[in-house]
Amino acid sequence: RAILKYLVTDKSQAMTQLGIYSACYKLSILMTLFVQTFRYAADPFYFSQQNKENARPLFAKVMNYFVLAGCIIFLGVMLYLDIIKLFIGEKYYDGLKVVPVLLAANLFLGIYLNLSICYKLTGKTYYGAWLSIFGALITIVFNIWLIPVMGYMGAAWATLICYASMMLLSWIKGREIFPVPYDTKRLLVMMGLAGMSWMLFELLKGWTHFTGMKSWLMAFLLLAVYTGGMWKYIGGMTESPL
């Protein structure tokens, strides 16, 4: 956001685009708060468990529950965006298309923070420093490339690409220095179905022309089915990490 106004090609629209992007960025705050809150609680937990026999399978289960919670937040915000958008002015509604991109980006950031425990526990925190530098470079390069072409959407995509890249590299490096048996298939299924559920909701709204209470009821049913199905899929309380 700090450099958006300088990179927009049409300078007369620079502050307008910055205002729209900043307003819509706030709608992803639920994911940001969840990730940061989890981070503060998770680090002490990981360090307290690192020497236990079942530590690595336990860390994998924690990741399952983290991703499920993140997907529920993503789906909840997107299904009820008609209500949540009321927190910003109507003049900012054109920028609502950045919300799913930013929600996904912050979920990837959360996964990266989970994965980063691998080099924290092994004392190889310099990997985190290098990944942070890499992420900064990715952000700068893609902002310079995409913002003049796409405006504030370029900034959103740059954020997503940055966090996705850091997540992927951290996963690859973590397998070398501190292998954790993450259930990659389940994680991908949960994220994929969350995205598909949101798209299905948008299609159903278009076909049925449901608005207001009918739309909210349909959103509730979809969210309940997703949550119940995915909770059972990862084991529910029968395999609770705690």
Side-chain angles (χ1 to χ4, degrees):
R1 284 178 289 176
I3 62 173
L4 177 61
K5 60 184 178 182
Y6 300 109
L7 295 176
V8 173
T9 305
D10 186 352
K11 299 303 179 184
S12 65
Q13 290 294 312
M15 295 307 296
T16 299
Q17 292 217 23
L18 177 60
I20 292 173
Y21 184 64
S22 297
C24 293
Y25 199 100
K26 295 175 183 177
L27 299 184
S28 65
I29 193 66
L30 285 176
M31 187 71 79
T32 305
L33 289 174
F34 165 65
V35 169
Q36 292 302 325
T37 302
F38 180 87
R39 178 187 184 183
Y40 292 135
D43 279 3
F45 171 77
Y46 284 137
F47 279 103
S48 70
Q49 299 292 318
Q50 64 176 318
N51 295 321
K52 294 186 178 180
E53 183 179 353
N54 67 334
R56 300 189 191 201
L58 177 62
F59 296 165
K61 290 180 182 180
V62 170
M63 177 71 89
N64 284 347
Y65 287 89
F66 172 83
V67 171
L68 175 59
C71 288
I72 291 171
I73 291 172
F74 172 89
L75 202 51
V77 171
M78 294 313 303
L79 296 185
Y80 288 98
L81 193 57
D82 285 348
I83 298 175
I84 295 173
K85 70 181 183 182
L86 298 177
F87 287 99
I88 62 174
E90 188 174 348
K91 61 184 178 181
Y92 300 116
Y93 287 178
D94 284 345
L96 291 175
K97 54 184 175 289
V98 306
V99 177
V101 179
L102 293 173
L103 287 170
N106 281 288
L107 177 57
F108 290 160
L109 173 62
I111 296 173
Y112 160 72
L113 293 174
N114 267 279
L115 294 170
S116 68
I117 201 67
C118 295
Y119 43 82
K120 290 179 181 178
L121 295 178
T122 55
K124 298 179 179 179
T125 51
Y126 52 86
Y127 284 120
W130 283 114
L131 280 171
S132 296
I133 293 171
F134 170 78
L137 291 174
I138 287 287
T139 301
I140 293 169
V141 169
F142 277 91
N143 271 311
I144 292 173
W145 178 25
L146 296 178
I147 289 177
V149 179
M150 304 172 64
Y152 55 77
M153 276 304 298
W157 282 111
T159 303
L160 178 65
I161 293 168
C162 168
Y163 292 152
S165 300
M166 293 173 67
M167 174 187 70
L168 180 59
L169 287 177
S170 190
W171 177 74
I172 293 171
K173 199 63 188 176
R175 295 179 68 187
E176 297 179 12
I177 62 176
F178 191 82
V180 174
Y182 292 117
D183 195 338
T184 307
K185 177 184 175 182
R186 276 191 168 87
L187 300 178
L188 292 174
V189 167
M190 284 190 284
M191 290 187 285
L193 287 180
M196 291 172 63
S197 298
W198 164 52
M199 289 186 283
L200 175 62
F201 174 72
E202 294 297 327
L203 287 173
L204 290 174
K205 277 183 65 177
W207 290 338
T208 60
H209 303 292
F210 281 170
T211 57
M213 189 61 70
K214 291 181 179 179
S215 173
W216 303 338
L217 178 59
M218 184 165 59
F220 174 78
L221 292 174
L222 268 175
L223 189 58
V225 169
Y226 175 83
T227 302
M230 292 300 97
W231 180 257
K232 185 175 181 180
Y233 181 58
I234 65 172
M237 291 305 295
T238 60
E239 297 184 11
S240 172
L242 301 179

